Amino acid sequence: EAEVAQSPRYKITEKSQAVAFWCDPISGHATLYWYRQILGQGPELLVQFQDESVVDDSQLPKDRFSAERLKGVDSTLKIQPAELGDSAMYLCASSFLPAAAPDTQYFGPGTRLTVL
Amino acid sequence: AQSVTQLDSHVSVSEGTPVLLRCNYSSSYSPSLFWYVQHPNKGLQLLLKYTSAATLVKGINGFEAEFKKSETSFHLTKPSAHMSDAAEYFCVVSGRGFKTIFGAGTRLFVKA
């Protein structure tokens, strides 16, 4: 069964450093999501792509976070500089239908970020 | 505006007894509603979804949920809990033209 791949699984960094996370969605899925999940809370949507276009990035802290999906396939989420409050699980998900149609999301295993 | 509220942060049941996890939503439009489960050290997995078809939705592992528009609720139930059901459960609201919103989650404990 096809899965969403994410790397790295764990990342430890010092504050003010740059970090990057990678996501490879299920082949053929048009929509890709990045979420941040703080321990004990539900995932919060950071950015949503349809193909290579950003559909929603209203909750993305744009002063330090950036995301891209250049060829409409895999995606990278970057934080620069990292802050202590960025420590969280970063989840990637994909869905088959276009962004306007609510659809089942398939989640990757996540990247656990610890900022020291 | 859209929002979702999970009414219990923790629920504890005995194995073999019914499970009820409560979820209320707010939406200006006809929503799509989902329940996802997150086991420790595992990814989020879809349990079931409502997308304006039948109001009683059956999912995997014996779970089901009923969409009640008059009560703006989408509670998750299971007749008989199993030890393997112990996990975090998330109620999710989405829809055409607005983003996905997760509830805060309900941790389900199952006692032997």
Side-chain angles (χ1 to χ4, degrees):
Chain A
E1 182 176 311
E3 296 180 342
V4 176
Q6 289 188 250
S7 67
R9 293 292 306 276
Y10 304 91
K11 179 70 178 178
I12 300 174
T13 190
E14 294 185 347
K15 64 180 182 179
S16 80
Q17 296 299 302
V19 293
F21 313 132
W22 177 79
C23 172
D24 190 12
I26 293 173
S27 178
H29 279 198
T31 307
L32 185 146
Y33 311 78
W34 282 102
Y35 291 88
R36 177 172 58 188
Q37 185 177 21
I38 295 171
L39 194 62
Q41 299 181 19
E44 176 192 22
L45 181 67
L46 292 176
V47 61
Q48 179 178 345
F49 291 91
Q50 179 175 327
D51 301 317
E52 68 277 7
S53 300
V54 173
V55 174
D56 187 310
D57 63 356
S58 57
Q59 299 302 310
L60 188 71
K62 298 181 189 64
D63 57 335
R64 298 185 300 107
F65 286 63
S66 64
E68 60 183 15
R69 193 184 184 199
L70 292 176
K71 297 182 180 179
V73 181
D74 59 338
S75 176
T76 302
L77 178 69
K78 298 178 180 177
I79 308 175
Q80 182 173 18
E83 296 181 353
L84 296 178
D86 296 331
S87 293
M89 177 74 85
Y90 289 83
L91 298 167
C92 179
S94 68
S95 61
F96 177 72
L97 294 178
D103 189 18
T104 300
Q105 296 181 33
Y106 296 85
F107 285 81
T111 296
R112 170 75 66 189
L113 173 66
T114 302
V115 182
L116 304 175
Chain B
Q2 287 66 233
S3 66
V4 59
T5 303
Q6 293 185 241
L7 300 172
D8 306 291
S9 59
H10 299 86
V11 170
S12 182
V13 301
S14 296
E15 192 173 24
T17 64
V19 175
L20 170 63
L21 305 183
R22 299 182 295 166
C23 172
N24 286 352
Y25 70 92
S26 174
S27 177
S28 303
Y29 307 95
S30 296
S32 293
L33 294 160
F34 305 77
W35 277 98
Y36 284 84
V37 61
Q38 188 174 39
H39 287 93
N41 300 316
K42 290 189 177 181
L44 282 153
Q45 180 185 18
L46 179 72
L47 274 179
L48 50 80
K49 64 180 177 181
Y50 166 78
T51 54
S52 77
T55 56
L56 182 62
V57 182
K58 295 188 182 299
I60 62 172
N61 300 334
F63 285 93
E64 63 181 38
E66 186 173 7
F67 174 71
K68 292 187 176 180
K69 186 175 181 178
S70 61
E71 299 177 10
T72 61
S73 69
F74 190 58
H75 301 335
L76 182 70
T77 61
K78 182 174 181 177
S80 177
H82 190 271
M83 295 297 289
S84 61
D85 294 328
E88 188 90 19
Y89 291 80
F90 294 97
C91 184
V92 180
V93 64
S94 185
R96 289 190 172 274
F98 64 89
K99 67 179 183 182
T100 302
I101 300 175
F102 276 71
T106 298
R107 171 72 65 179
L108 176 64
F109 297 93
V110 182
K111 299 174 289 186

